[in-house]
Amino acid sequence: MRILLIEDDMILGAAVRDHVIADNHSVDWVTRLDAASDHVDSAVYDLILLDLMLPDGQGIAFLRNLRRKGSVTPVIILTALDQISDRINGLNAGADDYLTKPFDLSELSARLRAVARRYSGNPNPLIGLGDLQVDLAARTALRNGRAIDLTAREWALFEAFVQHPGQVLSKAQLEERLYAFGSEVESNTIEVHVSRLRKKLGHSIVDTVRGIGYRLGIAR
């Protein structure tokens, strides 16, 4: 997933960013709401991690404005505000989950995956694709009980297809899933990763829609 992290605590922000990147996601990290607004206007995010107390305003106002504009991007609030009333306000403003500081990074990973599954329309982490058994929570793909080794980038690309079944994803959309702002992307990066996925998971696992992009196929 491509994730926008809005957090002004430099130590916590760096820890969350590094952990989420290690979890095979692409992360853009900002420390102010004005920068966050610029990012959501110029890029498509799969999920937003939002602190509520920012130097230039309240995260809850940012969230309400996001929802007023019609955005359905999932949002997980990360905050030290731990009163029941704070949780209610956050959820009523349009948050999908609410995590109070301090929190365990492994719990954050689990919540990220849970929210992503709900938005993909399939809350079940276990998915069957032909002779493949895919576990989105464990991040594993098996054929006849044998694990298939995927690199971090290969898994991130495969996960994008699985979370958007039937949807054609353009090369630009896939690049945004894999890389944060400022990252250098070689022109044939997506083609190379798609080719490797086909070799490992079956040629028909990814369909090419000429002139548009790629979509999930059926492994066989």
Side-chain angles (χ1 to χ4, degrees), residues 135-183:
D135 188 332
L136 293 176
R139 293 178 169 244
T140 59
L142 296 88
R143 177 179 284 123
N144 300 322
R146 297 184 60 182
I148 300 172
D149 184 33
L150 297 178
T151 67
R153 288 270 161 78
E154 289 166 359
W155 176 265
L157 191 64
F158 180 50
E159 185 181 51
F161 291 125
V162 171
Q163 290 176 342
H164 298 83
Q167 180 179 339
V168 179
L169 301 176
S170 69
K171 181 178 176 180
Q173 287 175 312
L174 294 172
E175 287 174 345
E176 285 190 350
R177 292 275 301 206
L178 300 183
Y179 300 95
F181 277 125
S183 299

mmCIF file of all heavy atoms in Angstrom, residues 135-183:
data_model
loop_
_atom_site.group_PDB
_atom_site.id
_atom_site.type_symbol
_atom_site.label_atom_id
_atom_site.label_comp_id
_atom_site.label_asym_id
_atom_site.label_seq_id
_atom_site.Cartn_x
_atom_site.Cartn_y
_atom_site.Cartn_z
ATOM 1 N N ASP A 135 -2.609 -15.910 1.895
ATOM 2 C CA ASP A 135 -2.934 -15.424 3.230
ATOM 3 C C ASP A 135 -2.421 -13.988 3.337
ATOM 4 O O ASP A 135 -1.220 -13.762 3.493
ATOM 5 C CB ASP A 135 -2.290 -16.300 4.297
ATOM 6 C CG ASP A 135 -2.759 -15.954 5.714
ATOM 7 O OD1 ASP A 135 -3.114 -14.787 5.940
ATOM 8 O OD2 ASP A 135 -2.743 -16.849 6.577
ATOM 9 N N LEU A 136 -3.337 -13.017 3.229
ATOM 10 C CA LEU A 136 -2.931 -11.617 3.254
ATOM 11 C C LEU A 136 -2.399 -11.196 4.617
ATOM 12 O O LEU A 136 -1.554 -10.300 4.704
ATOM 13 C CB LEU A 136 -4.106 -10.722 2.862
ATOM 14 C CG LEU A 136 -4.591 -10.848 1.415
ATOM 15 C CD1 LEU A 136 -5.824 -9.978 1.196
ATOM 16 C CD2 LEU A 136 -3.493 -10.459 0.439
ATOM 17 N N ALA A 137 -2.899 -11.800 5.680
ATOM 18 C CA ALA A 137 -2.429 -11.446 7.017
ATOM 19 C C ALA A 137 -1.003 -11.947 7.239
ATOM 20 O O ALA A 137 -0.153 -11.228 7.764
ATOM 21 C CB ALA A 137 -3.360 -12.026 8.070
ATOM 22 N N ALA A 138 -0.744 -13.177 6.839
ATOM 23 C CA ALA A 138 0.605 -13.758 7.015
ATOM 24 C C ALA A 138 1.541 -13.383 5.881
ATOM 25 O O ALA A 138 2.738 -13.623 5.959
ATOM 26 C CB ALA A 138 0.499 -15.272 7.109
ATOM 27 N N ARG A 139 0.978 -12.799 4.815
ATOM 28 C CA ARG A 139 1.749 -12.417 3.626
ATOM 29 C C ARG A 139 2.449 -13.623 3.014
ATOM 30 O O ARG A 139 3.657 -13.611 2.784
ATOM 31 C CB ARG A 139 2.749 -11.312 3.971
ATOM 32 C CG ARG A 139 2.058 -10.016 4.327
ATOM 33 C CD ARG A 139 3.027 -8.927 4.715
ATOM 34 N NE ARG A 139 2.301 -7.666 4.770
ATOM 35 C CZ ARG A 139 2.529 -6.625 3.968
ATOM 36 N NH1 ARG A 139 3.447 -6.698 3.055
ATOM 37 N NH2 ARG A 139 1.812 -5.529 4.076
ATOM 38 N N THR A 140 1.674 -14.657 2.769
ATOM 39 C CA THR A 140 2.216 -15.874 2.176
ATOM 40 C C THR A 140 1.350 -16.327 1.006
ATOM 41 O O THR A 140 0.143 -16.083 0.979
ATOM 42 C CB THR A 140 2.278 -17.024 3.199
ATOM 43 O OG1 THR A 140 0.960 -17.294 3.705
ATOM 44 C CG2 THR A 140 3.213 -16.691 4.348
ATOM 45 N N ALA A 141 1.997 -16.964 0.065
ATOM 46 C CA ALA A 141 1.311 -17.593 -1.057
ATOM 47 C C ALA A 141 1.818 -19.023 -1.147
ATOM 48 O O ALA A 141 3.034 -19.258 -1.142
ATOM 49 C CB ALA A 141 1.587 -16.835 -2.355
ATOM 50 N N LEU A 142 0.887 -19.979 -1.196
ATOM 51 C CA LEU A 142 1.255 -21.386 -1.237
ATOM 52 C C LEU A 142 0.607 -22.071 -2.427
ATOM 53 O O LEU A 142 -0.521 -21.744 -2.805
ATOM 54 C CB LEU A 142 0.835 -22.117 0.043
ATOM 55 C CG LEU A 142 1.487 -21.699 1.364
ATOM 56 C CD1 LEU A 142 0.717 -20.556 2.005
ATOM 57 C CD2 LEU A 142 1.549 -22.878 2.317
ATOM 58 N N ARG A 143 1.323 -23.023 -3.000
ATOM 59 C CA ARG A 143 0.772 -23.891 -4.031
ATOM 60 C C ARG A 143 0.968 -25.325 -3.567
ATOM 61 O O ARG A 143 2.091 -25.765 -3.350
ATOM 62 C CB ARG A 143 1.441 -23.653 -5.382
ATOM 63 C CG ARG A 143 0.927 -24.602 -6.476
ATOM 64 C CD ARG A 143 1.571 -24.339 -7.823
ATOM 65 N NE ARG A 143 1.006 -23.149 -8.456
ATOM 66 C CZ ARG A 143 1.735 -22.104 -8.842
ATOM 67 N NH1 ARG A 143 3.040 -22.079 -8.629
ATOM 68 N NH2 ARG A 143 1.146 -21.076 -9.420
ATOM 69 N N ASN A 144 -0.168 -26.018 -3.375
ATOM 70 C CA ASN A 144 -0.123 -27.399 -2.885
ATOM 71 C C ASN A 144 0.662 -27.504 -1.577
ATOM 72 O O ASN A 144 1.420 -28.454 -1.356
ATOM 73 C CB ASN A 144 0.488 -28.328 -3.939
ATOM 74 C CG ASN A 144 -0.312 -28.330 -5.227
ATOM 75 O OD1 ASN A 144 -1.536 -28.278 -5.202
ATOM 76 N ND2 ASN A 144 0.386 -28.362 -6.361
ATOM 77 N N GLY A 145 0.475 -26.491 -0.707
ATOM 78 C CA GLY A 145 1.112 -26.508 0.597
ATOM 79 C C GLY A 145 2.541 -26.020 0.621
ATOM 80 O O GLY A 145 3.146 -25.927 1.690
ATOM 81 N N ARG A 146 3.096 -25.695 -0.523
ATOM 82 C CA ARG A 146 4.493 -25.237 -0.587
ATOM 83 C C ARG A 146 4.544 -23.727 -0.756
ATOM 84 O O ARG A 146 3.885 -23.163 -1.640
ATOM 85 C CB ARG A 146 5.228 -25.920 -1.741
ATOM 86 C CG ARG A 146 5.332 -27.432 -1.594
ATOM 87 C CD ARG A 146 6.143 -28.040 -2.721
ATOM 88 N NE ARG A 146 7.498 -27.512 -2.752
ATOM 89 C CZ ARG A 146 8.405 -27.864 -3.678
ATOM 90 N NH1 ARG A 146 8.069 -28.711 -4.645
ATOM 91 N NH2 ARG A 146 9.610 -27.361 -3.633
ATOM 92 N N ALA A 147 5.312 -23.085 0.100
ATOM 93 C CA ALA A 147 5.411 -21.625 0.072
ATOM 94 C C ALA A 147 6.167 -21.164 -1.165
ATOM 95 O O ALA A 147 7.137 -21.794 -1.600
ATOM 96 C CB ALA A 147 6.101 -21.127 1.333
ATOM 97 N N ILE A 148 5.698 -20.055 -1.742
ATOM 98 C CA ILE A 148 6.364 -19.438 -2.881
ATOM 99 C C ILE A 148 7.061 -18.176 -2.398
ATOM 100 O O ILE A 148 6.439 -17.303 -1.788
ATOM 101 C CB ILE A 148 5.341 -19.094 -3.982
ATOM 102 C CG1 ILE A 148 4.646 -20.373 -4.450
ATOM 103 C CG2 ILE A 148 6.022 -18.391 -5.146
ATOM 104 C CD1 ILE A 148 3.490 -20.114 -5.384
ATOM 105 N N ASP A 149 8.344 -18.098 -2.643
ATOM 106 C CA ASP A 149 9.144 -16.986 -2.134
ATOM 107 C C ASP A 149 8.972 -15.756 -3.013
ATOM 108 O O ASP A 149 9.290 -15.770 -4.205
ATOM 109 C CB ASP A 149 10.621 -17.397 -2.093
ATOM 110 C CG ASP A 149 11.499 -16.303 -1.482
ATOM 111 O OD1 ASP A 149 11.013 -15.602 -0.584
ATOM 112 O OD2 ASP A 149 12.655 -16.151 -1.925
ATOM 113 N N LEU A 150 8.457 -14.683 -2.420
ATOM 114 C CA LEU A 150 8.295 -13.414 -3.116
ATOM 115 C C LEU A 150 9.127 -12.354 -2.421
ATOM 116 O O LEU A 150 9.177 -12.293 -1.189
ATOM 117 C CB LEU A 150 6.826 -12.971 -3.129
ATOM 118 C CG LEU A 150 5.819 -13.862 -3.869
ATOM 119 C CD1 LEU A 150 4.419 -13.286 -3.714
ATOM 120 C CD2 LEU A 150 6.175 -13.997 -5.338
ATOM 121 N N THR A 151 9.777 -11.498 -3.202
ATOM 122 C CA THR A 151 10.498 -10.381 -2.613
ATOM 123 C C THR A 151 9.494 -9.359 -2.084
ATOM 124 O O THR A 151 8.288 -9.438 -2.368
ATOM 125 C CB THR A 151 11.403 -9.696 -3.650
ATOM 126 O OG1 THR A 151 10.578 -9.075 -4.647
ATOM 127 C CG2 THR A 151 12.338 -10.702 -4.309
ATOM 128 N N ALA A 152 9.988 -8.380 -1.329
ATOM 129 C CA ALA A 152 9.111 -7.355 -0.755
ATOM 130 C C ALA A 152 8.357 -6.605 -1.846
ATOM 131 O O ALA A 152 7.147 -6.371 -1.740
ATOM 132 C CB ALA A 152 9.930 -6.378 0.089
ATOM 133 N N ARG A 153 9.036 -6.226 -2.921
ATOM 134 C CA ARG A 153 8.386 -5.486 -3.996
ATOM 135 C C ARG A 153 7.401 -6.370 -4.757
ATOM 136 O O ARG A 153 6.330 -5.924 -5.160
ATOM 137 C CB ARG A 153 9.438 -4.912 -4.944
ATOM 138 C CG ARG A 153 10.213 -3.734 -4.337
ATOM 139 C CD ARG A 153 9.506 -2.417 -4.651
ATOM 140 N NE ARG A 153 9.920 -1.345 -3.763
ATOM 141 C CZ ARG A 153 11.066 -0.671 -3.888
ATOM 142 N NH1 ARG A 153 11.900 -0.976 -4.846
ATOM 143 N NH2 ARG A 153 11.348 0.302 -3.048
ATOM 144 N N GLU A 154 7.769 -7.625 -4.969
ATOM 145 C CA GLU A 154 6.860 -8.546 -5.651
ATOM 146 C C GLU A 154 5.586 -8.743 -4.843
ATOM 147 O O GLU A 154 4.485 -8.746 -5.396
ATOM 148 C CB GLU A 154 7.561 -9.891 -5.893
ATOM 149 C CG GLU A 154 8.647 -9.836 -6.953
ATOM 150 C CD GLU A 154 9.539 -11.057 -6.951
ATOM 151 O OE1 GLU A 154 9.337 -11.956 -6.100
ATOM 152 O OE2 GLU A 154 10.458 -11.107 -7.795
ATOM 153 N N TRP A 155 5.745 -8.899 -3.524
ATOM 154 C CA TRP A 155 4.553 -9.069 -2.690
ATOM 155 C C TRP A 155 3.692 -7.813 -2.710
ATOM 156 O O TRP A 155 2.459 -7.898 -2.807
ATOM 157 C CB TRP A 155 4.924 -9.423 -1.250
ATOM 158 C CG TRP A 155 3.677 -9.499 -0.411
ATOM 159 C CD1 TRP A 155 3.143 -8.516 0.366
ATOM 160 C CD2 TRP A 155 2.746 -10.586 -0.366
ATOM 161 N NE1 TRP A 155 1.952 -8.927 0.912
ATOM 162 C CE2 TRP A 155 1.677 -10.192 0.486
ATOM 163 C CE3 TRP A 155 2.723 -11.859 -0.952
ATOM 164 C CZ2 TRP A 155 0.603 -11.023 0.765
ATOM 165 C CZ3 TRP A 155 1.648 -12.686 -0.670
ATOM 166 C CH2 TRP A 155 0.604 -12.267 0.179
ATOM 167 N N ALA A 156 4.305 -6.642 -2.604
ATOM 168 C CA ALA A 156 3.549 -5.392 -2.598
ATOM 169 C C ALA A 156 2.747 -5.244 -3.891
ATOM 170 O O ALA A 156 1.583 -4.804 -3.868
ATOM 171 C CB ALA A 156 4.492 -4.205 -2.420
ATOM 172 N N LEU A 157 3.340 -5.626 -5.013
ATOM 173 C CA LEU A 157 2.648 -5.547 -6.293
ATOM 174 C C LEU A 157 1.506 -6.563 -6.349
ATOM 175 O O LEU A 157 0.374 -6.236 -6.756
ATOM 176 C CB LEU A 157 3.630 -5.797 -7.432
ATOM 177 C CG LEU A 157 3.145 -5.490 -8.843
ATOM 178 C CD1 LEU A 157 2.861 -3.999 -9.003
ATOM 179 C CD2 LEU A 157 4.180 -5.937 -9.870
ATOM 180 N N PHE A 158 1.788 -7.781 -5.936
ATOM 181 C CA PHE A 158 0.769 -8.835 -5.918
ATOM 182 C C PHE A 158 -0.398 -8.447 -5.012
ATOM 183 O O PHE A 158 -1.566 -8.616 -5.359
ATOM 184 C CB PHE A 158 1.410 -10.143 -5.455
ATOM 185 C CG PHE A 158 0.464 -11.312 -5.383
ATOM 186 C CD1 PHE A 158 -0.353 -11.630 -6.449
ATOM 187 C CD2 PHE A 158 0.396 -12.098 -4.245
ATOM 188 C CE1 PHE A 158 -1.231 -12.705 -6.395
ATOM 189 C CE2 PHE A 158 -0.466 -13.175 -4.170
ATOM 190 C CZ PHE A 158 -1.289 -13.478 -5.248
ATOM 191 N N GLU A 159 -0.091 -7.892 -3.854
ATOM 192 C CA GLU A 159 -1.117 -7.462 -2.908
ATOM 193 C C GLU A 159 -2.013 -6.387 -3.526
ATOM 194 O O GLU A 159 -3.231 -6.366 -3.297
ATOM 195 C CB GLU A 159 -0.463 -6.937 -1.630
ATOM 196 C CG GLU A 159 -1.432 -6.569 -0.530
ATOM 197 C CD GLU A 159 -0.705 -6.044 0.698
ATOM 198 O OE1 GLU A 159 0.141 -5.127 0.532
ATOM 199 O OE2 GLU A 159 -0.960 -6.533 1.808
ATOM 200 N N ALA A 160 -1.423 -5.490 -4.319
ATOM 201 C CA ALA A 160 -2.210 -4.449 -4.980
ATOM 202 C C ALA A 160 -3.257 -5.061 -5.900
ATOM 203 O O ALA A 160 -4.417 -4.629 -5.929
ATOM 204 C CB ALA A 160 -1.298 -3.515 -5.770
ATOM 205 N N PHE A 161 -2.867 -6.093 -6.646
ATOM 206 C CA PHE A 161 -3.822 -6.756 -7.539
ATOM 207 C C PHE A 161 -4.904 -7.487 -6.743
ATOM 208 O O PHE A 161 -6.084 -7.420 -7.080
ATOM 209 C CB PHE A 161 -3.089 -7.746 -8.441
ATOM 210 C CG PHE A 161 -2.191 -7.101 -9.460
ATOM 211 C CD1 PHE A 161 -0.844 -7.436 -9.541
ATOM 212 C CD2 PHE A 161 -2.683 -6.153 -10.349
ATOM 213 C CE1 PHE A 161 -0.020 -6.846 -10.476
ATOM 214 C CE2 PHE A 161 -1.855 -5.555 -11.286
ATOM 215 C CZ PHE A 161 -0.521 -5.897 -11.356
ATOM 216 N N VAL A 162 -4.492 -8.184 -5.683
ATOM 217 C CA VAL A 162 -5.441 -8.960 -4.889
ATOM 218 C C VAL A 162 -6.465 -8.047 -4.219
ATOM 219 O O VAL A 162 -7.646 -8.397 -4.099
ATOM 220 C CB VAL A 162 -4.697 -9.805 -3.836
ATOM 221 C CG1 VAL A 162 -5.662 -10.450 -2.863
ATOM 222 C CG2 VAL A 162 -3.856 -10.884 -4.514
ATOM 223 N N GLN A 163 -6.027 -6.870 -3.774
ATOM 224 C CA GLN A 163 -6.922 -5.945 -3.075
ATOM 225 C C GLN A 163 -7.836 -5.179 -4.024
ATOM 226 O O GLN A 163 -8.763 -4.500 -3.580
ATOM 227 C CB GLN A 163 -6.104 -4.968 -2.236
ATOM 228 C CG GLN A 163 -5.437 -5.618 -1.036
ATOM 229 C CD GLN A 163 -4.560 -4.660 -0.259
ATOM 230 O OE1 GLN A 163 -4.180 -3.610 -0.771
ATOM 231 N NE2 GLN A 163 -4.235 -5.012 0.970
ATOM 232 N N HIS A 164 -7.583 -5.282 -5.330
ATOM 233 C CA HIS A 164 -8.430 -4.606 -6.321
ATOM 234 C C HIS A 164 -8.835 -5.597 -7.408
ATOM 235 O O HIS A 164 -8.519 -5.417 -8.586
ATOM 236 C CB HIS A 164 -7.703 -3.408 -6.940
ATOM 237 C CG HIS A 164 -7.338 -2.343 -5.960
ATOM 238 N ND1 HIS A 164 -6.196 -2.407 -5.182
ATOM 239 C CD2 HIS A 164 -7.972 -1.193 -5.593
ATOM 240 C CE1 HIS A 164 -6.143 -1.342 -4.395
ATOM 241 N NE2 HIS A 164 -7.199 -0.601 -4.627
ATOM 242 N N PRO A 165 -9.528 -6.675 -7.035
ATOM 243 C CA PRO A 165 -9.902 -7.699 -8.017
ATOM 244 C C PRO A 165 -10.791 -7.139 -9.116
ATOM 245 O O PRO A 165 -11.753 -6.415 -8.847
ATOM 246 C CB PRO A 165 -10.639 -8.745 -7.165
ATOM 247 C CG PRO A 165 -11.139 -7.984 -5.981
ATOM 248 C CD PRO A 165 -10.096 -6.953 -5.704
ATOM 249 N N GLY A 166 -10.445 -7.443 -10.353
ATOM 250 C CA GLY A 166 -11.234 -6.976 -11.488
ATOM 251 C C GLY A 166 -10.903 -5.573 -11.943
ATOM 252 O O GLY A 166 -11.337 -5.140 -13.010
ATOM 253 N N GLN A 167 -10.146 -4.835 -11.145
ATOM 254 C CA GLN A 167 -9.820 -3.452 -11.493
ATOM 255 C C GLN A 167 -8.509 -3.392 -12.266
ATOM 256 O O GLN A 167 -7.526 -4.027 -11.896
ATOM 257 C CB GLN A 167 -9.708 -2.599 -10.232
ATOM 258 C CG GLN A 167 -9.379 -1.129 -10.500
ATOM 259 C CD GLN A 167 -9.299 -0.318 -9.225
ATOM 260 O OE1 GLN A 167 -9.841 -0.710 -8.190
ATOM 261 N NE2 GLN A 167 -8.632 0.819 -9.276
ATOM 262 N N VAL A 168 -8.498 -2.625 -13.339
ATOM 263 C CA VAL A 168 -7.273 -2.426 -14.101
ATOM 264 C C VAL A 168 -6.456 -1.330 -13.433
ATOM 265 O O VAL A 168 -6.949 -0.218 -13.223
ATOM 266 C CB VAL A 168 -7.570 -2.043 -15.566
ATOM 267 C CG1 VAL A 168 -6.270 -1.822 -16.325
ATOM 268 C CG2 VAL A 168 -8.401 -3.127 -16.241
ATOM 269 N N LEU A 169 -5.218 -1.647 -13.087
ATOM 270 C CA LEU A 169 -4.322 -0.689 -12.445
ATOM 271 C C LEU A 169 -3.276 -0.238 -13.457
ATOM 272 O O LEU A 169 -2.604 -1.061 -14.079
ATOM 273 C CB LEU A 169 -3.642 -1.330 -11.231
ATOM 274 C CG LEU A 169 -4.579 -1.841 -10.131
ATOM 275 C CD1 LEU A 169 -3.781 -2.541 -9.034
ATOM 276 C CD2 LEU A 169 -5.401 -0.700 -9.541
ATOM 277 N N SER A 170 -3.154 1.062 -13.616
ATOM 278 C CA SER A 170 -2.184 1.593 -14.569
ATOM 279 C C SER A 170 -0.772 1.449 -14.029
ATOM 280 O O SER A 170 -0.557 1.235 -12.826
ATOM 281 C CB SER A 170 -2.475 3.069 -14.861
ATOM 282 O OG SER A 170 -2.195 3.862 -13.706
ATOM 283 N N LYS A 171 0.185 1.595 -14.910
ATOM 284 C CA LYS A 171 1.587 1.539 -14.496
ATOM 285 C C LYS A 171 1.887 2.619 -13.458
ATOM 286 O O LYS A 171 2.582 2.380 -12.475
ATOM 287 C CB LYS A 171 2.488 1.707 -15.725
ATOM 288 C CG LYS A 171 3.973 1.642 -15.438
ATOM 289 C CD LYS A 171 4.782 1.774 -16.724
ATOM 290 C CE LYS A 171 6.275 1.807 -16.427
ATOM 291 N NZ LYS A 171 7.080 1.941 -17.665
ATOM 292 N N ALA A 172 1.322 3.811 -13.661
ATOM 293 C CA ALA A 172 1.556 4.909 -12.717
ATOM 294 C C ALA A 172 0.967 4.585 -11.347
ATOM 295 O O ALA A 172 1.580 4.874 -10.314
ATOM 296 C CB ALA A 172 0.948 6.202 -13.258
ATOM 297 N N GLN A 173 -0.223 3.987 -11.322
ATOM 298 C CA GLN A 173 -0.837 3.617 -10.044
ATOM 299 C C GLN A 173 0.006 2.577 -9.318
ATOM 300 O O GLN A 173 0.170 2.651 -8.091
ATOM 301 C CB GLN A 173 -2.242 3.066 -10.282
ATOM 302 C CG GLN A 173 -3.274 4.116 -10.653
ATOM 303 C CD GLN A 173 -4.613 3.500 -10.991
ATOM 304 O OE1 GLN A 173 -4.704 2.549 -11.767
ATOM 305 N NE2 GLN A 173 -5.675 4.030 -10.392
ATOM 306 N N LEU A 174 0.534 1.629 -10.052
ATOM 307 C CA LEU A 174 1.354 0.592 -9.436
ATOM 308 C C LEU A 174 2.668 1.167 -8.927
ATOM 309 O O LEU A 174 3.154 0.775 -7.856
ATOM 310 C CB LEU A 174 1.613 -0.539 -10.427
ATOM 311 C CG LEU A 174 0.351 -1.326 -10.829
ATOM 312 C CD1 LEU A 174 0.675 -2.285 -11.961
ATOM 313 C CD2 LEU A 174 -0.212 -2.094 -9.634
ATOM 314 N N GLU A 175 3.244 2.096 -9.666
ATOM 315 C CA GLU A 175 4.478 2.746 -9.211
ATOM 316 C C GLU A 175 4.226 3.510 -7.922
ATOM 317 O O GLU A 175 5.070 3.516 -7.019
ATOM 318 C CB GLU A 175 5.015 3.678 -10.298
ATOM 319 C CG GLU A 175 5.622 2.939 -11.485
ATOM 320 C CD GLU A 175 6.026 3.871 -12.606
ATOM 321 O OE1 GLU A 175 5.580 5.056 -12.604
ATOM 322 O OE2 GLU A 175 6.760 3.435 -13.495
ATOM 323 N N GLU A 176 3.062 4.151 -7.821
ATOM 324 C CA GLU A 176 2.732 4.890 -6.599
ATOM 325 C C GLU A 176 2.586 3.949 -5.409
ATOM 326 O O GLU A 176 2.864 4.325 -4.273
ATOM 327 C CB GLU A 176 1.438 5.683 -6.789
ATOM 328 C CG GLU A 176 1.599 6.918 -7.644
ATOM 329 C CD GLU A 176 0.374 7.805 -7.623
ATOM 330 O OE1 GLU A 176 -0.664 7.346 -7.097
ATOM 331 O OE2 GLU A 176 0.452 8.939 -8.116
ATOM 332 N N ARG A 177 2.120 2.716 -5.665
ATOM 333 C CA ARG A 177 1.999 1.733 -4.589
ATOM 334 C C ARG A 177 3.365 1.327 -4.057
ATOM 335 O O ARG A 177 3.516 1.017 -2.871
ATOM 336 C CB ARG A 177 1.295 0.477 -5.111
ATOM 337 C CG ARG A 177 -0.144 0.649 -5.475
ATOM 338 C CD ARG A 177 -1.056 0.498 -4.304
ATOM 339 N NE ARG A 177 -0.955 -0.791 -3.658
ATOM 340 C CZ ARG A 177 -1.928 -1.353 -2.957
ATOM 341 N NH1 ARG A 177 -3.077 -0.740 -2.847
ATOM 342 N NH2 ARG A 177 -1.758 -2.507 -2.352
ATOM 343 N N LEU A 178 4.371 1.329 -4.930
ATOM 344 C CA LEU A 178 5.677 0.788 -4.563
ATOM 345 C C LEU A 178 6.680 1.836 -4.101
ATOM 346 O O LEU A 178 7.620 1.505 -3.382
ATOM 347 C CB LEU A 178 6.286 0.026 -5.748
ATOM 348 C CG LEU A 178 5.502 -1.171 -6.295
ATOM 349 C CD1 LEU A 178 6.296 -1.842 -7.398
ATOM 350 C CD2 LEU A 178 5.189 -2.170 -5.197
ATOM 351 N N TYR A 179 6.478 3.083 -4.506
ATOM 352 C CA TYR A 179 7.509 4.088 -4.261
ATOM 353 C C TYR A 179 6.929 5.355 -3.660
ATOM 354 O O TYR A 179 5.850 5.810 -4.052
ATOM 355 C CB TYR A 179 8.243 4.442 -5.561
ATOM 356 C CG TYR A 179 8.929 3.258 -6.199
ATOM 357 C CD1 TYR A 179 8.296 2.528 -7.198
ATOM 358 C CD2 TYR A 179 10.206 2.867 -5.786
ATOM 359 C CE1 TYR A 179 8.912 1.438 -7.781
ATOM 360 C CE2 TYR A 179 10.820 1.780 -6.362
ATOM 361 C CZ TYR A 179 10.178 1.063 -7.356
ATOM 362 O OH TYR A 179 10.783 -0.025 -7.931
ATOM 363 N N ALA A 180 7.664 5.949 -2.721
ATOM 364 C CA ALA A 180 7.275 7.219 -2.114
ATOM 365 C C ALA A 180 7.727 8.371 -3.001
ATOM 366 O O ALA A 180 8.469 8.195 -3.968
ATOM 367 C CB ALA A 180 7.900 7.344 -0.723
ATOM 368 N N PHE A 181 7.278 9.593 -2.659
ATOM 369 C CA PHE A 181 7.717 10.782 -3.381
ATOM 370 C C PHE A 181 9.237 10.882 -3.339
ATOM 371 O O PHE A 181 9.873 10.639 -2.316
ATOM 372 C CB PHE A 181 7.125 12.044 -2.751
ATOM 373 C CG PHE A 181 5.734 12.369 -3.205
ATOM 374 C CD1 PHE A 181 4.720 12.545 -2.283
ATOM 375 C CD2 PHE A 181 5.447 12.510 -4.545
ATOM 376 C CE1 PHE A 181 3.430 12.864 -2.687
ATOM 377 C CE2 PHE A 181 4.163 12.824 -4.964
ATOM 378 C CZ PHE A 181 3.157 13.002 -4.036
ATOM 379 N N GLY A 182 9.823 11.264 -4.453
ATOM 380 C CA GLY A 182 11.263 11.469 -4.493
ATOM 381 C C GLY A 182 12.059 10.226 -4.822
ATOM 382 O O GLY A 182 13.270 10.312 -5.048
ATOM 383 N N SER A 183 11.425 9.072 -4.867
ATOM 384 C CA SER A 183 12.139 7.838 -5.191
ATOM 385 C C SER A 183 12.339 7.746 -6.701
ATOM 386 O O SER A 183 11.460 8.111 -7.486
ATOM 387 C CB SER A 183 11.354 6.611 -4.714
ATOM 388 O OG SER A 183 11.174 6.641 -3.319
#
